[in-house]
Amino acid sequence: MVLYLRRRACYAFKLGGNVMRKNRLSVVVVVIVVFLIGSFFVEKQESAKEKLPTVGVLQFVSHPALDQIYKGIQAGLKEKGYEDGKNMTIAFQNGQADQSKLATMSQQLVQEKKSDVLIGIATPAAQALANTTTEIPIVLGAITDPVSAGLVKDNQKPGGNITGVSDKSPVDAQFDLVTEILPKSKKVGILYASSEENSKYQVEEAKNVAEKKGLSVKTYAVPSSNEIAQTVQVMTSEVDFIYIPTDNTIANAMQTVVNEADKTKTPIIPSVDTMVEQGGLATVGINQFDLGVQTGKMAADILSGEAKPATTAIYTFKTGDIIVNQRQADKLGVSIPEKIKSKAKIVD
């Protein structure tokens, strides 16, 4: 009897061991399956992240006009269904007016960020991108004349990997405004940076328009921002008002220009709305935010495959807004006609 019980106990022990081993094996199998399933979904999520399209944005320098364009670009992309961090990624770089940085950042946006579409805000940034790639689509933001800047062959049929939005100012309308608000002015000084290709083109156009309207014109080129204050001091003793084309170097130093011009109550007619807000008297200009929105929309169309740079014409605004700085007008003793004020955006 004792022997029988011992045998049954041994049998039960062996049976229990087998069950325990089977249970442990089942647990191990379940753990492995869960791990594999989890890894599969993690890889899918990582893969999905990697597949998010990237828009690389290179901005030439920080100043209100270009900053507004960048905000507009984000809004334009969103309007077309692309939102940063959700279904696309914006890789933003700012060269802060340093040519060597622009070149390095262009390389980063192309090689490291692997951008699907590139946007250049202002001519130097766009040129840096164009020098880096001839394959990735490039959308121009705020380039006055892409042809003279060497970026496209033709504004209507760009023919390469570049298209975009021009910030060409309505110069005729700007000088018509001058005749209305500064009727006694006879001499205009055009202030611009000699280093900016777009500015040279605009200066010639502004000079021709001003002379046709009976004004005498003198141009003042500055090689860098260091000479702006001294140049404006000279200008204020020689001209009745200062005209500034769409020029990033001057825009970046607008406060210096205003400070010097205010000393002699010399009016400033800039080409950009944000520069009126900074102390310019008035202008007929393109809203910089709206310019950015159009740029963002064009980038979105290229990203989605709806458009191709080679066959997409450069977008040019047909009209501009009248912007008047009433506080500056009061400071300078300039009376703005009611017919102008009724149509203008009044800023302080």
Side-chain angles (χ1 to χ4, degrees):
M1 186 67 179
V2 174
L3 181 61
Y4 171 78
L5 291 173
R6 285 180 178 175
R7 287 176 178 174
R8 293 299 297 174
C10 288
Y11 175 75
F13 179 77
K14 290 179 180 179
L15 182 62
N18 289 336
V19 170
M20 289 177 67
R21 281 195 292 272
K22 286 181 180 179
N23 287 340
R24 285 200 297 270
L25 181 61
S26 297
V27 171
V28 171
V29 170
V30 169
V31 170
I32 291 172
V33 170
V34 170
F35 175 76
L36 291 173
I37 291 173
S39 298
F40 172 74
F41 280 110
V42 169
E43 285 178 9
K44 281 196 73 175
Q45 289 177 346
E46 291 299 320
S47 177
K49 286 181 182 177
E50 289 174 5
K51 289 180 181 178
L52 284 179
T54 298
V55 175
V57 181
L58 181 60
Q59 183 171 318
F60 172 54
V61 69
S62 292
H63 63 65
L66 298 190
D67 294 342
Q68 280 296 307
I69 291 172
Y70 178 51
K71 289 180 181 178
I73 287 170
Q74 293 170 292
L77 285 165
K78 187 175 181 179
E79 196 172 317
K80 284 281 188 172
Y82 289 100
E83 194 166 354
D84 186 26
K86 291 187 177 180
N87 59 351
M88 57 87 69
T89 300
I90 294 178
F92 178 76
Q93 299 274 21
N94 190 325
Q96 297 298 2
D98 187 319
Q99 291 294 339
S100 62
K101 283 185 180 179
L102 290 174
T104 301
M105 289 174 176
S106 295
Q107 293 285 347
Q108 290 175 344
L109 290 173
V110 171
Q111 296 174 2
E112 295 177 23
K113 303 298 182 182
K114 301 187 186 303
S115 302
D116 298 287
V117 175
L118 296 163
I119 297 176
I121 303 178
T123 303
Q127 288 173 328
L129 292 173
N131 290 335
T132 304
T133 179
T134 57
E135 296 180 0
I136 300 174
I138 298 173
V139 180
L140 310 175
I143 283 73
T144 306
D145 184 26
V147 174
S148 66
L151 293 164
V152 301
K153 295 178 181 178
D154 183 88
N155 285 339
Q156 292 303 309
K157 297 178 181 179
N161 67 316
I162 301 174
T163 187
V165 182
S166 170
D167 63 350
K168 187 177 185 301
S169 299
V171 180
D172 267 296
Q174 289 171 348
F175 279 95
D176 284 340
L177 179 64
V178 169
T179 61
E180 294 279 354
I181 64 176
L182 300 171
K184 295 181 180 180
S185 295
K186 300 299 179 185
K187 301 176 182 178
V188 55
I190 303 177
L191 177 66
Y192 71 103
S194 56
S195 59
E196 296 201 25
E197 291 298 325
N198 266 345
S199 295
K200 295 174 185 177
Y201 161 82
Q202 293 176 84
V203 167
E204 285 304 311
E205 183 181 18
K207 184 179 179 181
N208 291 335
V209 170
E211 288 176 344
K212 286 179 182 177
K213 296 186 184 299
L215 296 167
S216 62
V217 181
K218 188 169 182 179
T219 60
Y220 299 80
V222 292
S224 72
S225 58
N226 295 329
E227 288 78 17
I228 291 176
Q230 185 178 355
T231 301
V232 175
Q233 290 170 12
V234 173
M235 294 179 75
T236 56
S237 66
E238 298 177 344
V239 302
D240 298 319
F241 71 96
I242 296 170
Y243 175 81
I244 303 173
T246 307
D247 185 297
N248 293 295
T249 302
I250 306 302
N252 201 34
M254 183 61 180
Q255 202 55 61
T256 299
V257 179
V258 172
N259 290 343
E260 293 301 330
D262 279 357
K263 292 176 182 178
T264 55
K265 293 189 175 183
T266 303
I268 302 169
I269 305 295
S271 295
V272 180
D273 56 349
T274 53
M275 293 171 76
V276 175
E277 295 172 5
Q278 290 177 277
L281 175 60
T283 193
V284 179
I286 300 166
N287 183 285
Q288 300 300 288
F289 181 83
D290 291 345
L291 193 156
V293 169
Q294 183 60 36
T295 305
K297 286 181 178 179
M298 292 182 78
D301 286 343
I302 293 170
L303 201 59
S304 65
E306 293 181 26
K308 294 182 179 180
T311 55
T312 302
I314 298 295
Y315 186 94
T316 303
F317 287 84
K318 304 297 182 185
T319 58
D321 300 326
I322 299 175
I323 303 100
V324 174
N325 188 324
Q326 187 60 56
R327 181 180 294 179
Q328 192 68 9
D330 294 340
K331 184 190 292 185
L332 299 175
V334 175
S335 178
I336 307 295
E338 284 302 322
K339 65 177 181 178
I340 297 296
K341 291 172 74 171
S342 65
K343 298 182 289 184
K345 174 186 174 184
I346 307 297
V347 300
D348 284 330

